[in-house]
Amino acid sequence: MKNEVKVQEVDASLNNRRNFLKLSGLTLVGAGLIMAGCSDNDNDDPVVDNMLPGIKNGKFDLGAGDFGVLTYAYALEQLEADFYTKVVNASGFNATFNEIEKQVLTDLYHHEVVHRDFFKAALSGGLPDPGSQLLPTLAFNYGSLNFNSRADVLATAKALEDTGVAAYNGAGKLIKNADYLLLAGKIVSVEARHASAIRSLINPNSKDFAGDDIVNMSTGLDDAKDPSKILAIAGGFITTEFTAKYLP
């Protein structure tokens, strides 16, 4: 009985956050269409123009400039969308998680699929030759991760969401187009809510949702990491080979 009461208390505390999460994702549904209408053609830097995403030395390279950053984000969103797709379709999903946890994870699944499709639409509409310059669909391997284990799934979700927030924060300084920067800022705010929700599922009624392991106590800001550091972490799940020679 004590366990049942505890679950009810946790569910009540998380339900408002879950509703907040759900609403936060709605504004991005049509964002791909908006972003696809933006253009990076105002960039006068010939070096960057020659470093668009595409095959270089036999491998796909993410490129440089705004399109390089958007392609980098697209790779990360492919990973998150794939992960949550496997989570919600795992054979033990209904038995592994309680109702609130299932609702939160399902919301995150829908958000990440929207994010992935958002970047695909933006890049398809903006790249000069998307047929050769659009990052292909990536393949992933999660090793020994057990998708029917609550602990495994939530620990991996926590790592991916924290990494995603740090990735957007680190890439923001590389974006020149104000429209792209604005929309990336909207997405990172949703990713931060994801990270907060997952941390609350792992340790309910705690301060972990904004722990000092991710929020700098001196500045009050989230971690920010350059693409090279993020790809060193996320690359462990990605089996499709690509390079990022022109990103810091």
Side-chain angles (χ1 to χ4, degrees), residues 86-156:
K86 287 181 169 60
V87 169
V88 300
N89 286 289
S91 60
F93 181 66
N94 289 328
T96 301
F97 301 98
N98 65 39
E99 288 303 313
I100 292 296
E101 291 169 343
K102 285 188 290 186
Q103 290 172 346
V104 168
L105 291 168
T106 301
D107 283 346
L108 267 59
Y109 154 69
H110 287 297
H111 291 180
E112 299 301 357
V113 167
V114 168
H115 293 177
R116 180 198 63 200
D117 294 347
F118 165 82
F119 280 107
K120 184 176 182 178
L123 289 163
S124 296
L127 285 167
D129 182 13
S132 65
Q133 296 167 339
L134 180 67
L135 180 72
T137 299
L138 302 175
F140 307 96
N141 187 314
Y142 301 93
S144 61
L145 193 157
N146 180 2
F147 281 93
N148 290 320
S149 164
R150 179 181 182 276
D152 280 9
V153 167
L154 293 184
T156 304

Coordinates of all heavy atoms in Angstrom, one line a residue, residues 86-156:
K86 N 12.0 3.6 -30.4 CA 12.2 2.3 -29.9 C 11.7 2.1 -28.4 O 11.2 1.0 -28.1 CB 13.7 2.0 -29.9 CG 14.3 1.7 -31.3 CD 15.7 1.4 -31.3 CE 16.2 0.9 -32.6 NZ 16.0 1.8 -33.7
V87 N 11.7 3.2 -27.7 CA 11.2 3.2 -26.3 C 9.7 2.8 -26.3 O 9.2 1.9 -25.6 CB 11.4 4.5 -25.6 CG1 10.7 4.6 -24.3 CG2 12.9 4.7 -25.3
V88 N 8.9 3.6 -27.1 CA 7.4 3.5 -27.0 C 7.0 2.2 -27.7 O 5.8 1.8 -27.5 CB 6.7 4.7 -27.6 CG1 7.1 6.0 -26.7 CG2 7.0 4.9 -29.0
N89 N 7.8 1.6 -28.6 CA 7.4 0.4 -29.3 C 8.0 -0.8 -28.7 O 7.9 -1.9 -29.2 CB 7.8 0.5 -30.8 CG 6.9 1.5 -31.5 OD1 5.8 1.1 -31.8 ND2 7.4 2.6 -31.9
A90 N 8.8 -0.7 -27.6 CA 9.3 -1.9 -26.9 C 8.2 -2.8 -26.4 O 7.1 -2.3 -26.0 CB 10.2 -1.4 -25.7
S91 N 8.5 -4.1 -26.4 CA 7.5 -5.1 -26.1 C 7.0 -4.9 -24.6 O 5.8 -5.2 -24.3 CB 8.0 -6.5 -26.2 OG 9.2 -6.7 -25.4
G92 N 7.8 -4.4 -23.7 CA 7.4 -4.2 -22.3 C 7.1 -2.8 -21.9 O 7.0 -2.5 -20.7
F93 N 6.8 -2.0 -22.9 CA 6.6 -0.5 -22.6 C 5.5 -0.4 -21.5 O 5.6 0.3 -20.5 CB 6.3 0.2 -23.8 CG 6.0 1.7 -23.6 CD1 7.1 2.5 -23.2 CD2 4.8 2.3 -23.9 CE1 6.8 3.9 -23.0 CE2 4.6 3.6 -23.7 CZ 5.6 4.4 -23.2
N94 N 4.3 -1.0 -21.8 CA 3.2 -0.8 -20.9 C 3.4 -1.4 -19.5 O 2.9 -0.9 -18.5 CB 1.9 -1.5 -21.5 CG 1.4 -0.7 -22.7 OD1 1.5 0.5 -22.8 ND2 0.9 -1.4 -23.7
A95 N 4.2 -2.5 -19.4 CA 4.4 -3.1 -18.1 C 5.6 -2.4 -17.4 O 5.6 -2.5 -16.2 CB 4.7 -4.6 -18.3
T96 N 6.5 -1.8 -18.1 CA 7.7 -1.2 -17.5 C 7.4 0.1 -16.8 O 8.0 0.4 -15.8 CB 8.8 -1.1 -18.6 OG1 9.1 -2.3 -19.1 CG2 10.1 -0.5 -18.0
F97 N 6.6 0.9 -17.4 CA 6.4 2.3 -16.9 C 4.9 2.5 -16.4 O 4.0 1.9 -16.9 CB 6.6 3.3 -18.1 CG 8.0 3.2 -18.6 CD1 8.3 2.5 -19.8 CD2 9.1 3.8 -17.9 CE1 9.6 2.4 -20.3 CE2 10.4 3.7 -18.4 CZ 10.6 3.0 -19.6
N98 N 4.8 3.4 -15.4 CA 3.5 3.7 -14.9 C 2.8 4.7 -15.9 O 3.4 5.1 -16.9 CB 3.5 4.3 -13.5 CG 4.2 5.6 -13.4 OD1 4.1 6.5 -14.3 ND2 4.9 5.8 -12.3
E99 N 1.5 5.0 -15.7 CA 0.8 5.8 -16.6 C 1.4 7.2 -16.9 O 1.5 7.6 -18.1 CB -0.7 6.0 -16.2 CG -1.5 4.7 -16.2 CD -1.5 4.1 -17.6 OE1 -1.8 4.9 -18.6 OE2 -1.3 2.9 -17.8
I100 N 1.8 7.9 -15.9 CA 2.4 9.2 -16.1 C 3.7 9.1 -16.9 O 4.0 9.8 -17.8 CB 2.7 9.9 -14.8 CG1 1.3 10.3 -14.2 CG2 3.5 11.2 -15.0 CD1 0.5 11.3 -15.0
E101 N 4.5 8.1 -16.6 CA 5.8 7.9 -17.3 C 5.5 7.6 -18.8 O 6.2 8.1 -19.6 CB 6.6 6.7 -16.6 CG 7.1 7.1 -15.2 CD 7.7 5.9 -14.5 OE1 7.4 4.8 -14.9 OE2 8.4 6.1 -13.5
K102 N 4.6 6.7 -19.0 CA 4.2 6.4 -20.4 C 3.8 7.7 -21.2 O 4.1 7.9 -22.3 CB 3.1 5.3 -20.5 CG 3.6 3.9 -20.1 CD 2.6 2.9 -20.4 CE 1.5 2.9 -19.4 NZ 0.5 1.8 -19.6
Q103 N 3.0 8.5 -20.5 CA 2.5 9.7 -21.1 C 3.7 10.7 -21.5 O 3.7 11.2 -22.5 CB 1.5 10.4 -20.2 CG 0.2 9.7 -20.1 CD -0.8 10.3 -19.1 OE1 -0.4 11.1 -18.3 NE2 -2.0 9.8 -19.1
V104 N 4.6 10.8 -20.5 CA 5.7 11.7 -20.7 C 6.6 11.2 -21.9 O 7.0 11.9 -22.8 CB 6.6 11.9 -19.4 CG1 7.9 12.5 -19.7 CG2 5.8 12.7 -18.4
L105 N 6.9 9.9 -21.8 CA 7.8 9.3 -22.8 C 7.1 9.4 -24.2 O 7.8 9.6 -25.2 CB 8.2 7.9 -22.5 CG 9.1 7.7 -21.3 CD1 9.2 6.3 -20.8 CD2 10.5 8.3 -21.6
T106 N 5.8 9.2 -24.3 CA 5.1 9.3 -25.5 C 5.1 10.7 -26.1 O 5.3 10.9 -27.3 CB 3.7 8.8 -25.4 OG1 3.7 7.4 -24.9 CG2 2.9 8.8 -26.7
D107 N 4.9 11.7 -25.2 CA 5.0 13.1 -25.6 C 6.4 13.4 -26.2 O 6.6 14.0 -27.2 CB 4.7 14.0 -24.4 CG 3.3 14.1 -24.1 OD1 2.4 13.7 -24.9 OD2 2.9 14.6 -23.0
L108 N 7.5 12.9 -25.5 CA 8.8 13.1 -25.9 C 9.0 12.5 -27.3 O 9.7 13.1 -28.2 CB 9.8 12.6 -24.9 CG 10.3 13.7 -23.9 CD1 9.2 14.3 -23.1 CD2 11.4 13.1 -23.0
Y109 N 8.5 11.3 -27.5 CA 8.6 10.6 -28.8 C 8.0 11.5 -29.9 O 8.6 11.8 -30.9 CB 7.8 9.3 -28.7 CG 7.3 8.8 -30.0 CD1 8.2 8.4 -31.0 CD2 5.9 8.8 -30.3 CE1 7.7 7.9 -32.3 CE2 5.4 8.3 -31.5 CZ 6.3 7.9 -32.5 OH 5.8 7.4 -33.7
H110 N 6.8 12.0 -29.6 CA 6.1 12.9 -30.7 C 6.9 14.2 -30.9 O 7.1 14.6 -32.1 CB 4.7 13.3 -30.2 CG 3.7 12.1 -30.3 ND1 3.4 11.5 -31.5 CD2 3.0 11.5 -29.4 CE1 2.5 10.5 -31.3 NE2 2.3 10.5 -30.0
H111 N 7.5 14.8 -29.8 CA 8.2 16.0 -30.0 C 9.5 15.8 -30.9 O 9.8 16.5 -31.8 CB 8.7 16.5 -28.6 CG 7.6 17.1 -27.8 ND1 7.8 17.6 -26.5 CD2 6.3 17.2 -28.0 CE1 6.7 18.0 -26.0 NE2 5.7 17.7 -26.9
E112 N 10.2 14.7 -30.6 CA 11.5 14.4 -31.3 C 11.2 14.1 -32.7 O 12.1 14.4 -33.6 CB 12.3 13.3 -30.6 CG 12.7 13.6 -29.1 CD 13.5 14.9 -28.9 OE1 13.8 15.6 -30.0 OE2 13.8 15.2 -27.8
V113 N 10.1 13.4 -33.0 CA 9.8 13.1 -34.4 C 9.5 14.4 -35.2 O 10.0 14.6 -36.3 CB 8.6 12.1 -34.5 CG1 8.1 12.1 -35.9 CG2 9.0 10.7 -34.1
V114 N 8.8 15.3 -34.5 CA 8.5 16.7 -35.1 C 9.8 17.4 -35.3 O 10.1 18.0 -36.4 CB 7.6 17.5 -34.2 CG1 7.6 18.9 -34.6 CG2 6.2 16.9 -34.2
H115 N 10.7 17.4 -34.3 CA 12.0 18.0 -34.5 C 12.8 17.5 -35.6 O 13.4 18.2 -36.4 CB 12.9 17.9 -33.2 CG 12.3 18.6 -32.0 ND1 12.9 18.5 -30.7 CD2 11.2 19.4 -31.9 CE1 12.2 19.3 -29.9 NE2 11.1 19.8 -30.6
R116 N 12.9 16.2 -35.7 CA 13.6 15.5 -36.8 C 13.0 16.0 -38.2 O 13.8 16.4 -39.1 CB 13.5 14.0 -36.7 CG 14.2 13.2 -37.8 CD 13.7 11.8 -37.8 NE 12.3 11.7 -38.2 CZ 11.5 10.7 -37.9 NH1 12.0 9.6 -37.3 NH2 10.2 10.7 -38.2
D117 N 11.7 15.9 -38.3 CA 11.1 16.3 -39.6 C 11.2 17.8 -39.9 O 11.2 18.2 -41.0 CB 9.6 15.8 -39.6 CG 9.5 14.3 -39.5 OD1 10.5 13.6 -39.8 OD2 8.3 13.8 -39.2
F118 N 11.2 18.5 -38.8 CA 11.4 20.0 -38.9 C 12.7 20.3 -39.6 O 12.8 21.1 -40.5 CB 11.4 20.5 -37.4 CG 11.9 21.9 -37.2 CD1 11.1 23.0 -37.4 CD2 13.2 22.1 -36.7 CE1 11.5 24.3 -37.2 CE2 13.6 23.4 -36.5 CZ 12.8 24.5 -36.7
F119 N 13.8 19.7 -39.1 CA 15.1 20.0 -39.7 C 15.2 19.4 -41.2 O 15.8 20.0 -42.0 CB 16.2 19.4 -38.9 CG 16.5 20.3 -37.7 CD1 16.2 20.0 -36.4 CD2 17.2 21.5 -37.9 CE1 16.4 20.8 -35.3 CE2 17.4 22.4 -36.8 CZ 17.1 22.0 -35.6
K120 N 14.6 18.3 -41.4 CA 14.6 17.7 -42.7 C 13.9 18.6 -43.7 O 14.4 18.9 -44.8 CB 13.9 16.3 -42.7 CG 14.0 15.6 -44.1 CD 13.4 14.2 -44.0 CE 13.6 13.5 -45.4 NZ 13.1 12.1 -45.4
A121 N 12.7 19.2 -43.3 CA 12.0 20.1 -44.1 C 12.8 21.4 -44.4 O 12.9 21.9 -45.5 CB 10.6 20.4 -43.5
A122 N 13.4 21.9 -43.3 CA 14.2 23.1 -43.4 C 15.4 23.0 -44.4 O 15.6 23.8 -45.2 CB 14.7 23.6 -42.0
L123 N 16.1 21.9 -44.2 CA 17.3 21.6 -45.1 C 16.8 21.3 -46.5 O 17.5 21.8 -47.4 CB 18.1 20.5 -44.5 CG 18.8 20.9 -43.2 CD1 19.3 19.6 -42.4 CD2 20.0 21.8 -43.5
S124 N 15.8 20.6 -46.6 CA 15.3 20.2 -48.0 C 14.9 21.5 -48.7 O 15.0 21.6 -50.0 CB 14.1 19.2 -47.9 OG 14.5 18.0 -47.4
G125 N 14.3 22.4 -48.0 CA 13.8 23.7 -48.6 C 14.9 24.7 -48.8 O 14.7 25.7 -49.6
G126 N 16.0 24.6 -48.1 CA 17.0 25.6 -48.1 C 18.3 25.3 -48.8 O 19.0 26.2 -49.4
L127 N 18.7 24.0 -48.8 CA 20.0 23.6 -49.5 C 19.9 23.8 -51.0 O 18.8 23.5 -51.6 CB 20.3 22.2 -49.1 CG 20.8 21.9 -47.7 CD1 20.8 20.4 -47.4 CD2 22.2 22.5 -47.5
P128 N 20.9 24.2 -51.6 CA 20.9 24.4 -53.1 C 20.6 23.1 -53.8 O 20.0 23.1 -54.8 CB 22.3 24.9 -53.4 CG 22.8 25.6 -52.1 CD 22.2 24.8 -51.0
D129 N 21.2 22.0 -53.3 CA 21.0 20.7 -53.9 C 20.7 19.6 -52.9 O 21.6 18.9 -52.5 CB 22.2 20.3 -54.7 CG 22.1 19.0 -55.5 OD1 20.9 18.5 -55.6 OD2 23.1 18.4 -55.9
P130 N 19.5 19.6 -52.3 CA 19.2 18.7 -51.2 C 19.4 17.2 -51.6 O 19.7 16.3 -50.7 CB 17.8 18.9 -50.9 CG 17.2 19.7 -52.1 CD 18.3 20.4 -52.6
G131 N 19.3 16.9 -52.9 CA 19.5 15.5 -53.3 C 20.9 15.0 -52.9 O 21.1 13.8 -52.6
S132 N 21.9 15.8 -53.0 CA 23.3 15.4 -52.6 C 23.8 16.0 -51.3 O 24.8 15.6 -50.7 CB 24.2 15.8 -53.7 OG 24.3 17.2 -53.9
Q133 N 23.1 17.1 -50.8 CA 23.6 17.8 -49.6 C 22.8 17.5 -48.4 O 23.2 17.9 -47.3 CB 23.5 19.3 -49.9 CG 24.5 19.7 -51.0 CD 24.2 21.1 -51.6 OE1 23.2 21.7 -51.4 NE2 25.3 21.7 -52.2
L134 N 21.6 16.8 -48.5 CA 20.9 16.5 -47.3 C 21.4 15.2 -46.6 O 21.6 14.2 -47.2 CB 19.4 16.2 -47.7 CG 18.4 15.9 -46.5 CD1 18.3 17.1 -45.6 CD2 17.1 15.4 -47.1
L135 N 21.7 15.3 -45.3 CA 22.2 14.2 -44.5 C 21.2 13.0 -44.7 O 20.0 13.1 -44.5 CB 22.3 14.6 -43.1 CG 22.8 13.5 -42.1 CD1 24.3 13.3 -42.3 CD2 22.5 13.9 -40.6
P136 N 21.7 11.8 -45.0 CA 20.9 10.7 -45.2 C 20.3 10.2 -43.9 O 20.8 10.6 -42.8 CB 21.8 9.6 -45.8 CG 23.2 10.0 -45.4 CD 23.1 11.5 -45.3
T137 N 19.3 9.3 -43.9 CA 18.8 8.7 -42.7 C 19.9 7.9 -42.1 O 20.5 7.0 -42.7 CB 17.6 7.8 -43.0 OG1 16.6 8.6 -43.6 CG2 17.0 7.1 -41.8
L138 N 20.2 8.1 -40.8 CA 21.2 7.5 -40.1 C 20.8 6.2 -39.5 O 19.6 5.9 -39.2 CB 21.8 8.4 -39.0 CG 22.3 9.8 -39.4 CD1 22.6 10.6 -38.2 CD2 23.5 9.7 -40.4
A139 N 21.8 5.3 -39.2 CA 21.5 4.0 -38.5 C 22.1 4.1 -37.1 O 23.1 4.8 -36.9 CB 22.1 2.9 -39.3
F140 N 21.5 3.4 -36.2 CA 21.9 3.5 -34.8 C 22.1 2.1 -34.1 O 21.4 1.2 -34.5 CB 20.9 4.3 -34.0 CG 20.6 5.7 -34.6 CD1 19.5 5.9 -35.4 CD2 21.5 6.8 -34.3 CE1 19.3 7.1 -36.0 CE2 21.2 8.0 -34.9 CZ 20.1 8.2 -35.7
N141 N 22.9 2.1 -33.1 CA 23.1 0.8 -32.3 C 23.2 1.2 -30.9 O 24.1 2.1 -30.5 CB 24.3 0.1 -32.8 CG 24.5 -1.3 -32.2 OD1 24.3 -1.4 -30.9 ND2 24.8 -2.3 -32.9
Y142 N 22.4 0.7 -30.0 CA 22.4 1.0 -28.6 C 23.1 0.0 -27.7 O 22.9 0.0 -26.5 CB 20.9 1.2 -28.2 CG 20.2 2.3 -28.9 CD1 19.5 2.0 -30.1 CD2 20.4 3.7 -28.6 CE1 18.9 3.1 -30.8 CE2 19.8 4.7 -29.3 CZ 19.0 4.4 -30.4 OH 18.5 5.4 -31.1
G143 N 23.8 -0.9 -28.4 CA 24.6 -1.9 -27.6 C 23.7 -2.8 -26.7 O 22.7 -3.3 -27.2
S144 N 24.1 -2.8 -25.5 CA 23.4 -3.7 -24.5 C 22.2 -3.0 -23.8 O 21.6 -3.6 -22.9 CB 24.3 -4.2 -23.4 OG 24.9 -3.1 -22.7
L145 N 21.8 -1.9 -24.3 CA 20.7 -1.2 -23.7 C 19.4 -2.0 -23.7 O 19.1 -2.5 -24.8 CB 20.5 0.2 -24.3 CG 19.5 1.2 -23.7 CD1 19.8 2.6 -24.2 CD2 18.1 0.9 -23.9
N146 N 18.8 -2.2 -22.6 CA 17.5 -3.0 -22.5 C 16.4 -2.0 -22.6 O 16.1 -1.3 -21.6 CB 17.6 -3.8 -21.3 CG 16.3 -4.7 -21.1 OD1 15.4 -4.7 -22.0 ND2 16.2 -5.4 -20.0
F147 N 15.6 -2.0 -23.7 CA 14.5 -1.1 -23.8 C 13.3 -1.5 -22.9 O 12.3 -0.8 -22.8 CB 14.1 -1.0 -25.2 CG 15.0 0.0 -26.0 CD1 16.1 -0.6 -26.7 CD2 14.8 1.3 -26.1 CE1 16.9 0.3 -27.5 CE2 15.6 2.2 -26.8 CZ 16.7 1.7 -27.5
N148 N 13.4 -2.7 -22.3 CA 12.3 -3.1 -21.3 C 12.8 -2.9 -19.9 O 12.2 -3.4 -19.0 CB 12.0 -4.6 -21.6 CG 11.2 -4.8 -22.9 OD1 10.4 -3.9 -23.2 ND2 11.5 -5.8 -23.6
S149 N 13.9 -2.1 -19.7 CA 14.4 -1.8 -18.4 C 14.1 -0.3 -18.1 O 14.6 0.6 -18.8 CB 15.9 -2.1 -18.3 OG 16.4 -1.5 -17.1
R150 N 13.3 0.0 -17.1 CA 13.1 1.4 -16.7 C 14.4 2.1 -16.5 O 14.5 3.3 -16.9 CB 12.1 1.5 -15.5 CG 11.8 2.9 -15.0 CD 10.9 2.8 -13.8 NE 10.5 4.2 -13.4 CZ 11.3 5.0 -12.6 NH1 12.5 4.5 -12.2 NH2 10.9 6.2 -12.3
A151 N 15.2 1.5 -15.7 CA 16.5 2.2 -15.3 C 17.4 2.5 -16.6 O 17.9 3.6 -16.7 CB 17.3 1.3 -14.4
D152 N 17.5 1.5 -17.5 CA 18.3 1.7 -18.7 C 17.7 2.8 -19.6 O 18.4 3.7 -20.1 CB 18.3 0.4 -19.5 CG 19.3 -0.6 -19.0 OD1 19.9 -0.3 -17.9 OD2 19.6 -1.6 -19.6
V153 N 16.4 2.8 -19.8 CA 15.7 3.8 -20.7 C 15.8 5.2 -20.1 O 16.2 6.1 -20.8 CB 14.2 3.4 -20.9 CG1 13.5 4.5 -21.5 CG2 14.1 2.1 -21.7
L154 N 15.5 5.3 -18.8 CA 15.6 6.7 -18.2 C 17.0 7.2 -18.1 O 17.2 8.4 -18.4 CB 14.9 6.7 -16.9 CG 13.4 6.4 -16.9 CD1 12.8 6.6 -15.5 CD2 12.6 7.4 -17.8
A155 N 18.0 6.4 -17.8 CA 19.3 6.8 -17.8 C 19.8 7.3 -19.2 O 20.5 8.3 -19.3 CB 20.2 5.7 -17.2
T156 N 19.5 6.5 -20.2 CA 19.9 6.9 -21.6 C 19.1 8.2 -22.0 O 19.7 9.1 -22.6 CB 19.6 5.8 -22.5 OG1 20.3 4.6 -22.1 CG2 20.1 6.1 -23.9

